[in-house]
Amino acid sequence: MRHIAIIGSGPAGYYTAEAAQKKFGEDVQVDIIDRLPVPFGLIRFGVAPDHQSIKGVARRYEKVALSENVRFVGNVSVGDDVTVTQLQEIYDAVVLATGAPNDRMLDIPGAELSGVHGSAAFVGWYNGHPDFTDLAPDLSGEHVVVIGNGNVALDVARILSKTESEFGGSDIVGHALEALQTANTKTVTFLGRRGPHQIAMTPKELGELGRLERASPRVAPGDLPEEGADALLEPGMRKSVTHLRDFAAIPDGVRSEKPILIDFDFFASPVSIEGDGKVEGVTVERTELDDDLRSSGTGETYTIPASLVVTCIGYQTPPIEGVPYEHGRGRFANDEGRILPGLYCVGWARRGPSGTIGTNRPDGYGIVDLIDEDASSGQGKEGRAALDNVLEARGKEPVRFSDWKRIEEAEAARARDGAPREKFTSIEEMIGALS
Ligand code: NAP
């Protein structure tokens, strides 16, 4: 028997478990450990609440989770309840699928001001992550600045702009829905340090901005490269840029019929955040691109008003004591996922925060091949029975997948009309649903 521990129950974790089942069949036992009592990581806490169809992939993970040789071990914190070193002694292979839940920090003066939030915190707040339930962002001002030109920036701008009815069928948590509907947002400005041809926004998601009930996007025509240059772009990017061209063509009169403006400020790099205790503005330096398409400042600066700033500039994996870490890239030091024989990483913990949910699938399958290569059979380790002993000695009772199904039922039972669930937003509430 081969014993595998996977730390993290998001897409990377479940694809790895699926791959282990396919490769080793009955000859493997997999424990998926998560510090939260609820599974699926990014699917529950990262994917936007109004993108329910993307969350459907959890049904595939559930199939894996319900099989005999895969266990969910929730509400167990690696580092506090059990160490990676202990897990390495207990299991033949330990796979870190911990994702990249921490914000990359924007290292400019004023970034510490009240009213400046990283996207992990802001997204966590509207998605009901227990760490960010109490964020209470101040939405009383009119100007929101969203830093970054990626899909997370798009999610944040869209969520800030939607009407209550546009959240129908979503699982946005009640506290966020309520706060957003009484917000005073009039302008959401995207700051992109490069240009329209360098955005990291995918076309389907970008196109949604053009169909919002109460918000309209604006792109300055002068920021767009000449149209012929689009032919050199790869097809997805060309479609995204076509959306930007459509936004640039919206007549001002039509745009102003909607109360919220979503403004694209390209070639604009934030240099400082202004305010007396609380954010009041962002000072931006105009940029230009060099031959390698990197941005550099032109020296021209200006300040835009900001009552709230959300930085959406990428994420990093939290280091784990004793595990080699690449600080510059914010992920574990690894070679194709192998940290050292017996210890591996997958998904964002391996690659950094890029790609789609599906990108994690080949990652998981590749790791299982490496596990097999490093030890072609189990090494007589004890596996799950030994983990149970460690946890029992600490008085820790893990949450099982069957428990999660009860939490899930309780969340569905208290959902708003038309919503799939009303999430519990604290660990105590989640555990409380089991009593
Ligand atoms: P991302 O795609 O890497 O975008 C980060 C953005 O931040 C880029 O525009 C980047 O500009 C900018 N940036 C980085 N450092 C900056 C700085 N110091 N100052 C100003 N701008 C800075 O990251 P993400 O948006 O967090 O998304 C992470 C991954 O999740 C991506 O693969 C994304 O596609 C995926 N995702 C997908 C969806 C979906 O609905 N399909 C939703 C959310 C996330 P440069 O290009 O100049 O570096």
Side-chain angles (χ1 to χ4, degrees), residues 218-241:
R218 178 170 74 184
V219 170
D223 280 343
L224 289 161
E226 70 171 77
E227 211 162 331
D230 293 0
L232 299 172
L233 299 172
E234 58 86 17
M237 188 63 171
R238 204 179 314 140
K239 276 194 203 155
S240 288
V241 173

PDB file of all heavy atoms in Angstrom, residues 218-241:
ATOM      1  N   ARG A 218     -15.044  52.460 -20.204  1.00  0.00           N
ATOM      2  CA  ARG A 218     -14.475  53.490 -21.082  1.00  0.00           C
ATOM      3  C   ARG A 218     -12.998  53.204 -21.323  1.00  0.00           C
ATOM      4  O   ARG A 218     -12.242  52.940 -20.391  1.00  0.00           O
ATOM      5  CB  ARG A 218     -14.615  54.870 -20.449  1.00  0.00           C
ATOM      6  CG  ARG A 218     -13.978  55.973 -21.310  1.00  0.00           C
ATOM      7  CD  ARG A 218     -14.326  57.357 -20.811  1.00  0.00           C
ATOM      8  NE  ARG A 218     -13.597  57.695 -19.600  1.00  0.00           N
ATOM      9  CZ  ARG A 218     -13.782  58.827 -18.908  1.00  0.00           C
ATOM     10  NH1 ARG A 218     -14.701  59.699 -19.292  1.00  0.00           N
ATOM     11  NH2 ARG A 218     -13.080  59.069 -17.829  1.00  0.00           N
ATOM     12  N   VAL A 219     -12.626  53.246 -22.584  1.00  0.00           N
ATOM     13  CA  VAL A 219     -11.209  53.129 -22.972  1.00  0.00           C
ATOM     14  C   VAL A 219     -10.901  54.367 -23.809  1.00  0.00           C
ATOM     15  O   VAL A 219     -11.684  54.714 -24.714  1.00  0.00           O
ATOM     16  CB  VAL A 219     -10.985  51.840 -23.812  1.00  0.00           C
ATOM     17  CG1 VAL A 219      -9.594  51.822 -24.433  1.00  0.00           C
ATOM     18  CG2 VAL A 219     -11.198  50.594 -22.952  1.00  0.00           C
ATOM     19  N   ALA A 220      -9.794  55.044 -23.516  1.00  0.00           N
ATOM     20  CA  ALA A 220      -9.433  56.223 -24.310  1.00  0.00           C
ATOM     21  C   ALA A 220      -8.929  55.746 -25.675  1.00  0.00           C
ATOM     22  O   ALA A 220      -7.977  54.953 -25.733  1.00  0.00           O
ATOM     23  CB  ALA A 220      -8.344  57.010 -23.593  1.00  0.00           C
ATOM     24  N   PRO A 221      -9.584  56.169 -26.779  1.00  0.00           N
ATOM     25  CA  PRO A 221      -9.178  55.674 -28.101  1.00  0.00           C
ATOM     26  C   PRO A 221      -7.679  55.862 -28.353  1.00  0.00           C
ATOM     27  O   PRO A 221      -7.033  55.017 -28.970  1.00  0.00           O
ATOM     28  CB  PRO A 221     -10.018  56.526 -29.065  1.00  0.00           C
ATOM     29  CG  PRO A 221     -11.211  56.951 -28.262  1.00  0.00           C
ATOM     30  CD  PRO A 221     -10.734  57.089 -26.849  1.00  0.00           C
ATOM     31  N   GLY A 222      -7.121  56.945 -27.815  1.00  0.00           N
ATOM     32  CA  GLY A 222      -5.701  57.229 -28.047  1.00  0.00           C
ATOM     33  C   GLY A 222      -4.758  56.211 -27.414  1.00  0.00           C
ATOM     34  O   GLY A 222      -3.582  56.137 -27.779  1.00  0.00           O
ATOM     35  N   ASP A 223      -5.245  55.422 -26.470  1.00  0.00           N
ATOM     36  CA  ASP A 223      -4.392  54.401 -25.836  1.00  0.00           C
ATOM     37  C   ASP A 223      -4.274  53.137 -26.692  1.00  0.00           C
ATOM     38  O   ASP A 223      -3.407  52.294 -26.455  1.00  0.00           O
ATOM     39  CB  ASP A 223      -4.974  53.992 -24.471  1.00  0.00           C
ATOM     40  CG  ASP A 223      -4.646  54.999 -23.384  1.00  0.00           C
ATOM     41  OD1 ASP A 223      -3.731  55.825 -23.595  1.00  0.00           O
ATOM     42  OD2 ASP A 223      -5.315  54.972 -22.327  1.00  0.00           O
ATOM     43  N   LEU A 224      -5.190  53.002 -27.651  1.00  0.00           N
ATOM     44  CA  LEU A 224      -5.209  51.759 -28.442  1.00  0.00           C
ATOM     45  C   LEU A 224      -4.174  51.819 -29.551  1.00  0.00           C
ATOM     46  O   LEU A 224      -4.054  52.839 -30.244  1.00  0.00           O
ATOM     47  CB  LEU A 224      -6.605  51.560 -29.052  1.00  0.00           C
ATOM     48  CG  LEU A 224      -7.692  51.186 -28.045  1.00  0.00           C
ATOM     49  CD1 LEU A 224      -9.088  51.464 -28.616  1.00  0.00           C
ATOM     50  CD2 LEU A 224      -7.567  49.713 -27.656  1.00  0.00           C
ATOM     51  N   PRO A 225      -3.424  50.733 -29.751  1.00  0.00           N
ATOM     52  CA  PRO A 225      -2.491  50.702 -30.874  1.00  0.00           C
ATOM     53  C   PRO A 225      -3.278  50.729 -32.187  1.00  0.00           C
ATOM     54  O   PRO A 225      -4.489  50.457 -32.181  1.00  0.00           O
ATOM     55  CB  PRO A 225      -1.781  49.353 -30.735  1.00  0.00           C
ATOM     56  CG  PRO A 225      -2.167  48.810 -29.412  1.00  0.00           C
ATOM     57  CD  PRO A 225      -3.428  49.473 -29.000  1.00  0.00           C
ATOM     58  N   GLU A 226      -2.626  51.014 -33.292  1.00  0.00           N
ATOM     59  CA  GLU A 226      -3.381  51.034 -34.556  1.00  0.00           C
ATOM     60  C   GLU A 226      -3.916  49.626 -34.839  1.00  0.00           C
ATOM     61  O   GLU A 226      -3.290  48.618 -34.485  1.00  0.00           O
ATOM     62  CB  GLU A 226      -2.522  51.552 -35.706  1.00  0.00           C
ATOM     63  CG  GLU A 226      -1.435  50.588 -36.095  1.00  0.00           C
ATOM     64  CD  GLU A 226      -0.740  51.021 -37.380  1.00  0.00           C
ATOM     65  OE1 GLU A 226       0.085  51.941 -37.296  1.00  0.00           O
ATOM     66  OE2 GLU A 226      -1.051  50.396 -38.410  1.00  0.00           O
ATOM     67  N   GLU A 227      -5.110  49.581 -35.445  1.00  0.00           N
ATOM     68  CA  GLU A 227      -5.873  48.331 -35.509  1.00  0.00           C
ATOM     69  C   GLU A 227      -5.106  47.184 -36.179  1.00  0.00           C
ATOM     70  O   GLU A 227      -5.208  46.027 -35.776  1.00  0.00           O
ATOM     71  CB  GLU A 227      -7.201  48.592 -36.224  1.00  0.00           C
ATOM     72  CG  GLU A 227      -8.274  47.694 -35.694  1.00  0.00           C
ATOM     73  CD  GLU A 227      -9.673  48.181 -36.030  1.00  0.00           C
ATOM     74  OE1 GLU A 227      -9.875  49.415 -36.166  1.00  0.00           O
ATOM     75  OE2 GLU A 227     -10.550  47.325 -36.155  1.00  0.00           O
ATOM     76  N   GLY A 228      -4.300  47.516 -37.189  1.00  0.00           N
ATOM     77  CA  GLY A 228      -3.563  46.478 -37.925  1.00  0.00           C
ATOM     78  C   GLY A 228      -2.671  45.660 -36.999  1.00  0.00           C
ATOM     79  O   GLY A 228      -2.438  44.461 -37.244  1.00  0.00           O
ATOM     80  N   ALA A 229      -2.203  46.258 -35.902  1.00  0.00           N
ATOM     81  CA  ALA A 229      -1.281  45.560 -35.000  1.00  0.00           C
ATOM     82  C   ALA A 229      -1.966  44.401 -34.271  1.00  0.00           C
ATOM     83  O   ALA A 229      -1.298  43.473 -33.802  1.00  0.00           O
ATOM     84  CB  ALA A 229      -0.710  46.550 -33.982  1.00  0.00           C
ATOM     85  N   ASP A 230      -3.308  44.413 -34.226  1.00  0.00           N
ATOM     86  CA  ASP A 230      -4.028  43.328 -33.531  1.00  0.00           C
ATOM     87  C   ASP A 230      -3.809  41.987 -34.230  1.00  0.00           C
ATOM     88  O   ASP A 230      -3.902  40.927 -33.602  1.00  0.00           O
ATOM     89  CB  ASP A 230      -5.536  43.616 -33.480  1.00  0.00           C
ATOM     90  CG  ASP A 230      -5.876  44.817 -32.615  1.00  0.00           C
ATOM     91  OD1 ASP A 230      -4.942  45.432 -32.060  1.00  0.00           O
ATOM     92  OD2 ASP A 230      -7.079  45.154 -32.511  1.00  0.00           O
ATOM     93  N   ALA A 231      -3.530  42.029 -35.530  1.00  0.00           N
ATOM     94  CA  ALA A 231      -3.379  40.781 -36.292  1.00  0.00           C
ATOM     95  C   ALA A 231      -2.221  39.936 -35.751  1.00  0.00           C
ATOM     96  O   ALA A 231      -2.204  38.714 -35.906  1.00  0.00           O
ATOM     97  CB  ALA A 231      -3.137  41.106 -37.764  1.00  0.00           C
ATOM     98  N   LEU A 232      -1.281  40.571 -35.090  1.00  0.00           N
ATOM     99  CA  LEU A 232      -0.114  39.842 -34.581  1.00  0.00           C
ATOM    100  C   LEU A 232      -0.393  39.158 -33.239  1.00  0.00           C
ATOM    101  O   LEU A 232       0.417  38.372 -32.756  1.00  0.00           O
ATOM    102  CB  LEU A 232       1.070  40.807 -34.391  1.00  0.00           C
ATOM    103  CG  LEU A 232       1.558  41.502 -35.658  1.00  0.00           C
ATOM    104  CD1 LEU A 232       2.586  42.574 -35.324  1.00  0.00           C
ATOM    105  CD2 LEU A 232       2.143  40.476 -36.631  1.00  0.00           C
ATOM    106  N   LEU A 233      -1.559  39.462 -32.666  1.00  0.00           N
ATOM    107  CA  LEU A 233      -1.866  38.899 -31.342  1.00  0.00           C
ATOM    108  C   LEU A 233      -2.378  37.474 -31.479  1.00  0.00           C
ATOM    109  O   LEU A 233      -2.957  37.100 -32.496  1.00  0.00           O
ATOM    110  CB  LEU A 233      -2.947  39.748 -30.660  1.00  0.00           C
ATOM    111  CG  LEU A 233      -2.591  41.210 -30.413  1.00  0.00           C
ATOM    112  CD1 LEU A 233      -3.831  41.976 -29.918  1.00  0.00           C
ATOM    113  CD2 LEU A 233      -1.460  41.327 -29.392  1.00  0.00           C
ATOM    114  N   GLU A 234      -2.198  36.677 -30.416  1.00  0.00           N
ATOM    115  CA  GLU A 234      -2.795  35.322 -30.452  1.00  0.00           C
ATOM    116  C   GLU A 234      -4.322  35.502 -30.330  1.00  0.00           C
ATOM    117  O   GLU A 234      -4.793  36.507 -29.803  1.00  0.00           O
ATOM    118  CB  GLU A 234      -2.150  34.388 -29.428  1.00  0.00           C
ATOM    119  CG  GLU A 234      -2.202  34.798 -27.987  1.00  0.00           C
ATOM    120  CD  GLU A 234      -3.474  34.364 -27.288  1.00  0.00           C
ATOM    121  OE1 GLU A 234      -4.184  33.487 -27.804  1.00  0.00           O
ATOM    122  OE2 GLU A 234      -3.783  34.959 -26.243  1.00  0.00           O
ATOM    123  N   PRO A 235      -5.115  34.516 -30.825  1.00  0.00           N
ATOM    124  CA  PRO A 235      -6.557  34.742 -30.999  1.00  0.00           C
ATOM    125  C   PRO A 235      -7.296  35.225 -29.753  1.00  0.00           C
ATOM    126  O   PRO A 235      -8.139  36.127 -29.841  1.00  0.00           O
ATOM    127  CB  PRO A 235      -7.074  33.379 -31.456  1.00  0.00           C
ATOM    128  CG  PRO A 235      -5.889  32.687 -32.034  1.00  0.00           C
ATOM    129  CD  PRO A 235      -4.685  33.213 -31.327  1.00  0.00           C
ATOM    130  N   GLY A 236      -7.011  34.650 -28.585  1.00  0.00           N
ATOM    131  CA  GLY A 236      -7.714  35.052 -27.365  1.00  0.00           C
ATOM    132  C   GLY A 236      -7.456  36.519 -27.057  1.00  0.00           C
ATOM    133  O   GLY A 236      -8.370  37.287 -26.745  1.00  0.00           O
ATOM    134  N   MET A 237      -6.202  36.886 -27.165  1.00  0.00           N
ATOM    135  CA  MET A 237      -5.819  38.269 -26.874  1.00  0.00           C
ATOM    136  C   MET A 237      -6.459  39.223 -27.886  1.00  0.00           C
ATOM    137  O   MET A 237      -6.910  40.318 -27.530  1.00  0.00           O
ATOM    138  CB  MET A 237      -4.285  38.347 -26.950  1.00  0.00           C
ATOM    139  CG  MET A 237      -3.736  39.633 -26.496  1.00  0.00           C
ATOM    140  SD  MET A 237      -4.132  39.877 -24.744  1.00  0.00           S
ATOM    141  CE  MET A 237      -3.142  41.296 -24.482  1.00  0.00           C
ATOM    142  N   ARG A 238      -6.533  38.758 -29.148  1.00  0.00           N
ATOM    143  CA  ARG A 238      -7.143  39.607 -30.185  1.00  0.00           C
ATOM    144  C   ARG A 238      -8.613  39.876 -29.824  1.00  0.00           C
ATOM    145  O   ARG A 238      -9.108  40.992 -29.957  1.00  0.00           O
ATOM    146  CB  ARG A 238      -7.038  38.919 -31.548  1.00  0.00           C
ATOM    147  CG  ARG A 238      -7.092  39.912 -32.708  1.00  0.00           C
ATOM    148  CD  ARG A 238      -6.951  39.216 -34.048  1.00  0.00           C
ATOM    149  NE  ARG A 238      -5.875  38.246 -34.055  1.00  0.00           N
ATOM    150  CZ  ARG A 238      -5.931  37.051 -34.649  1.00  0.00           C
ATOM    151  NH1 ARG A 238      -7.013  36.675 -35.305  1.00  0.00           N
ATOM    152  NH2 ARG A 238      -4.907  36.224 -34.604  1.00  0.00           N
ATOM    153  N   LYS A 239      -9.292  38.826 -29.328  1.00  0.00           N
ATOM    154  CA  LYS A 239     -10.704  39.000 -28.933  1.00  0.00           C
ATOM    155  C   LYS A 239     -10.815  39.988 -27.778  1.00  0.00           C
ATOM    156  O   LYS A 239     -11.720  40.831 -27.735  1.00  0.00           O
ATOM    157  CB  LYS A 239     -11.291  37.660 -28.466  1.00  0.00           C
ATOM    158  CG  LYS A 239     -11.793  36.803 -29.583  1.00  0.00           C
ATOM    159  CD  LYS A 239     -12.658  35.684 -28.995  1.00  0.00           C
ATOM    160  CE  LYS A 239     -12.701  34.524 -29.963  1.00  0.00           C
ATOM    161  NZ  LYS A 239     -12.958  33.241 -29.356  1.00  0.00           N
ATOM    162  N   SER A 240      -9.892  39.874 -26.813  1.00  0.00           N
ATOM    163  CA  SER A 240      -9.929  40.803 -25.672  1.00  0.00           C
ATOM    164  C   SER A 240      -9.750  42.232 -26.164  1.00  0.00           C
ATOM    165  O   SER A 240     -10.473  43.152 -25.741  1.00  0.00           O
ATOM    166  CB  SER A 240      -8.821  40.481 -24.656  1.00  0.00           C
ATOM    167  OG  SER A 240      -9.129  39.302 -23.963  1.00  0.00           O
ATOM    168  N   VAL A 241      -8.794  42.424 -27.064  1.00  0.00           N
ATOM    169  CA  VAL A 241      -8.534  43.785 -27.540  1.00  0.00           C
ATOM    170  C   VAL A 241      -9.731  44.295 -28.353  1.00  0.00           C
ATOM    171  O   VAL A 241     -10.058  45.487 -28.313  1.00  0.00           O
ATOM    172  CB  VAL A 241      -7.205  43.833 -28.336  1.00  0.00           C
ATOM    173  CG1 VAL A 241      -7.004  45.189 -28.982  1.00  0.00           C
ATOM    174  CG2 VAL A 241      -6.028  43.507 -27.409  1.00  0.00           C
TER     175      VAL A 241
END
